[in-house]
Amino acid sequence: MPRKPLRLIAGRTLLHRTIAMARAATHGLADVRLVVATDDREIADHAEEVGCQAVMTDSAISTGSGRALAAAQAQAELPDLVVNLQGDSPFQPEGALGAVITELRAGAQVATPVIALSWSALDALRDHKVRSPFSGTTCARAEDGRALWFSKAIIPAIRDEAKRREAQPLSPVWRHVGLYGYARAALERFEATPPTALERLEGLEQLRLLELGIPVTTVPIDPPLFDSSGIDTEADITRVEALIALHGDPTPPLP
């Protein structure tokens, strides 16, 4: 989607919405700096227009996390923790950003939020993937919260699904939220390693971490007011604008 961060969604740009959400989510947290990392001058100018620091990064950087590291390294004071909030995910669940920061400060090498899907939410995700098969990511996780795998397919497959629907309100599927927090050393190791084969197949940078043996801690969070797995296609914009019209706009105003 060309110039995606500058696309309007119900009258506000995607980037404007992401910045506003991030500011609201980190309000009251000590020692947090919000920076937009981009290789596009128009996007950087727009970030600064709405009052957010922007850092121009090398266009050869292939992942959002690599760009986040470059932005961190450009700071006068090098941070110990770096959070990569994807610019195309402005409708983050309330508390997700704070929960990731808390997990990192408790010692996690990498932390990322996940949402347990109800059966109706799983049905909606399946329907969405008929139209946009590479929009939305699911996660298989161990009981201790370690991520075992991420996929653009819906995982795990569910045997005896009808019986499970009768027995429990939640499906066994966890949806991944597009937000990653890193100890800087883990992020530096990630960026120093070329993309892996499975990462390239799925188009998911977090698979490089798993293939490197770096543990990824998943943080369960509550679902947002309305479900959005990120803005990847024209169909996503249409769907989100319809949800805003139905439920109201969840993006807070910028101060």
Side-chain angles (χ1 to χ4, degrees):
M1 188 184 293
R3 302 173 71 250
K4 181 165 67 168
L6 303 178
R7 293 292 300 272
L8 288 175
I9 298 177
R12 299 171 73 179
T13 66
L14 184 57
L15 181 60
H16 188 169
R17 288 181 175 278
T18 303
I19 291 170
M21 179 278 297
R23 281 201 177 148
T26 56
H27 180 72
L29 293 178
D31 196 24
V32 174
R33 281 169 283 165
L34 181 62
V35 179
V36 169
T38 181
D39 62 356
D40 186 301
R41 172 46 61 187
E42 188 178 8
I43 292 170
D45 288 344
H46 181 56
E48 291 170 350
E49 284 171 6
V50 297
C52 185
Q53 179 191 356
V55 172
M56 290 294 294
T57 54
D58 191 335
S59 60
I61 297 173
S62 61
T63 67
S65 292
R67 208 168 296 284
L69 176 61
Q73 291 171 334
Q75 302 302 302
E77 183 180 346
L78 196 62
D80 294 326
L81 307 175
V82 180
V83 177
N84 170 26
L85 170 63
Q86 294 179 203
D88 61 358
S89 298
F91 304 108
Q92 294 283 337
E94 185 176 354
L97 191 51
V100 165
I101 293 172
T102 297
E103 200 69 33
L104 291 173
R105 287 176 170 171
Q109 291 189 57
V110 182
T112 192
V114 290
I115 296 172
L117 295 185
S118 66
W119 292 108
S120 60
L122 175 58
D123 291 339
L125 180 60
R126 285 169 170 164
D127 181 66
H128 174 65
K129 282 191 169 292
V130 171
R131 301 184 301 277
S132 303
F134 284 91
S135 174
T137 301
T138 60
C139 173
R141 60 195 293 270
E143 289 187 5
D144 64 1
R146 287 177 300 111
L148 302 176
W149 201 249
F150 297 90
S151 182
K152 287 295 185 180
I154 295 176
I155 56 174
I158 306 172
R159 190 183 297 273
D160 298 324
E161 181 173 329
K163 292 180 180 178
R164 291 179 179 271
R165 282 177 177 261
E166 293 176 358
Q168 54 200 48
L170 294 177
S171 80
V173 176
W174 293 84
R175 182 169 67 78
H176 178 233
V177 177
L179 169 63
Y180 308 89
Y182 300 91
R184 193 182 71 247
L187 181 53
E188 289 170 341
R189 184 180 171 199
F190 165 89
E191 187 59 16
T193 305
T196 58
L198 289 168
E199 173 190 358
R200 291 194 298 268
L201 279 173
E202 287 263 13
L204 292 173
E205 62 192 71
Q206 63 268 43
L207 295 182
R208 191 187 316 176
L209 295 163
L210 297 182
E211 292 189 80
L212 286 172
I214 298 173
V216 177
T217 301
T218 61
V219 185
I221 57 172
D222 294 330
L225 173 65
F226 58 77
D227 182 35
S228 173
S229 302
I231 307 300
D232 298 308
T233 66
E234 297 289 346
D236 290 337
I237 291 179
T238 299
R239 179 173 57 88
V240 166
E241 288 186 328
L243 288 168
I244 289 173
L246 182 63
H247 297 293
D249 197 332
T251 303
L254 281 170

